[in-house]
Amino acid sequence: MRRNKILEERRKRVNPDVRDSVALSFRIVDRIHEILEEKGLKQKDLALKLGKSEAEISKWMRGTHNFTIDTLVSIEDALDAPIVQVYHSHIYPAYEFEPMVAAEP
């Protein structure tokens, strides 16, 4: 996937104390961009599907938005594609569930 130069510059300036959290946020944004591109959609289309303003979606897509689970589920539903997948077998080994990982760019 083609990287956004602005996002890449922002990634370089992230404080190391919050890097993991922000890195996940960037992976989420990268995944949303990937889905939009695959489906031939624009951020404007996502805004319409979610009933949000284009400005709000643009703010989310800058890579530092703190997505809630509800928001992620809404985006997944709107795009009919998975964004975040979770796998924690080392934490909960007795619990069986479908293995999932955050989509990597």
Side-chain angles (χ1 to χ4, degrees), residues 6 9 15 17 35 46 51 53 58 62 70 72 75 94 104-105:
I6 295 169
E9 286 302 314
N15 181 322
D17 294 337
I35 296 166
L46 179 58
S53 70
S58 178
R62 289 187 188 120
D70 290 340
L72 291 171
I75 296 169
E104 290 286 327

Side-chain angles (χ1 to χ4, degrees), residues 7-71:
L7 289 179
E8 290 305 312
E9 286 302 314
R10 290 187 81 156
R11 287 175 211 231
K12 292 176 187 174
R13 294 190 305 255
V14 173
N15 181 322
D17 294 337
V18 295
R19 187 155 294 170
D20 288 344
S21 171
V22 173
L24 179 56
S25 182
F26 280 123
R27 287 195 308 269
I28 290 168
V29 169
D30 286 345
R31 176 65 180 142
I32 294 169
H33 277 293
E34 179 182 276
I35 296 166
L36 290 172
E37 189 173 289
E38 287 172 1
K39 294 182 178 272
L41 300 172
K42 305 272 186 217
Q43 288 182 26
K44 175 182 177 178
D45 301 313
L46 179 58
L48 288 171
K49 287 176 177 277
L50 294 173
K52 303 286 185 185
S53 70
E54 289 180 57
E56 185 171 0
I57 299 303
S58 178
K59 181 180 173 184
W60 291 359
M61 301 302 282
R62 289 187 188 120
T64 56
H65 180 72
N66 188 11
F67 290 98
T68 66
I69 291 173
D70 290 340
T71 299

Side-chain angles (χ1 to χ4, degrees), residues 3 5 10 21-22 26 28 50-51 84-85 89 92 100 103:
R3 293 285 191 164
K5 290 179 185 179
R10 290 187 81 156
S21 171
V22 173
F26 280 123
I28 290 168
L50 294 173
V84 175
Q85 301 174 344
S89 68
Y92 306 107
M100 300 181 270

